[in-house]
Amino acid sequence: MIKSHPAQNLLRDYVAGDLNSASALVVATHVDMCPHCQRHCSAIEAELSAEVFQNSAQLGDSDMQLMLDAIFSSESAVEQRPLTAETSHDGMISLEGKRFKLPRSLARQQARIGPWNKMIGNMWRASLSLGTDEVANLIYMGQHCSVPEHTHRGSELQVVINGTFSDEYGQYSDGDLLLLDGTHKHTPHTNDEDCLILAVMDAPLHFTSGISRLLNPFSNLFFR
């Protein structure tokens, strides 16, 4: 059961289209997996629609037409592009001999998933190029894998796609969404189950313990 959901203001920004493309993809992936937040999004959409129609009653015909033109001509924040022959686009990805089913919103961007690169320990990363300045990353943690203790120089938004990981605050499984910042210091790790995560960060991590602090000058090369 999903136990970690977006805050009300984050979900409202998502429905209103106020998030950048990478953050919107993370929240959309959570919503795909979470019936509770699907219902919540429907309620927010109805609320925002009521506000639009209430405001439209105060607009003249020309202003109303301009507003409608802007709505229907707006392009998605994530630019579409044709698939390449090398991309199966079957909603599945393979790594380390395992296949993972992608939630709908993420599966639509499968053609944008880059090659997998090994990080530290039994961790792998594949970036998603969304056609904007923002970058989302798929992060795979194998069994008995740990990220050294760290905090965040900015914010990190992540959702668990498959598997389980734990830290000092709890255990997180399929669909759980986390928003982390400089107030959080933790050591994410897996046990007997691996974990696939979709994450977006606006600044590198800051390692806080032991020899791992030597990684700080290079943390943007591993976690960005």
Side-chain angles (χ1 to χ4, degrees), residues 34-195:
C34 180
H36 168 78
C37 286
Q38 291 169 19
R39 293 190 295 269
H40 201 5
C41 283
S42 295
I44 295 173
E45 287 172 355
E47 179 183 339
L48 293 176
S49 296
E51 291 177 3
V52 169
F53 282 111
Q54 183 178 4
N55 292 335
S56 67
Q58 304 172 12
L59 296 176
D61 291 341
S62 59
D63 291 332
M64 183 66 175
Q65 187 60 51
L66 287 173
M67 182 182 73
L68 292 174
D69 289 345
I71 291 173
F72 288 107
S73 65
S74 62
E75 297 181 352
S76 170
V78 178
E79 180 186 4
Q80 298 298 315
R81 70 176 185 185
L83 303 181
T84 62
E86 292 79 13
T87 303
S88 63
H89 199 64
D90 60 356
M92 304 287 293
I93 58 173
S94 301
L95 181 67
E96 294 288 88
K98 295 191 62 175
R99 283 173 61 80
F100 298 92
K101 173 125 182 112
L102 301 178
R104 181 180 58 182
S105 295
L106 185 54
R108 288 173 178 166
Q109 306 303 324
Q110 187 172 356
R112 300 174 180 276
I113 300 175
W116 287 95
N117 297 297
K118 190 171 179 60
M119 299 168 66
I120 56 177
N122 192 18
M123 292 186 65
W124 296 76
R125 182 189 69 194
S127 297
L128 282 82
S129 177
L130 300 176
T132 63
D133 292 336
E134 301 84 24
V135 176
N137 290 287
L138 283 168
I139 298 174
Y140 172 78
M141 300 175 65
Q143 296 177 352
H144 306 289
C145 179
S146 179
V147 180
E149 182 186 81
H150 62 271
T151 185
H152 300 80
R153 296 174 180 170
S155 62
E156 177 180 10
L157 184 65
Q158 61 179 234
V159 61
V160 179
I161 297 171
N162 184 271
T164 300
F165 82 93
S166 303
D167 65 8
E168 291 81 350
Y169 300 98
Q171 180 173 286
Y172 314 99
S173 299
D174 298 21
D176 281 330
L177 183 141
L178 293 83
L179 178 59
L180 306 167
D181 58 24
T183 65
H184 299 88
K185 184 166 69 173
H186 65 156
T187 310
H189 62 276
T190 58
N191 293 314
D192 295 332
E193 186 176 6
D194 55 2
C195 190

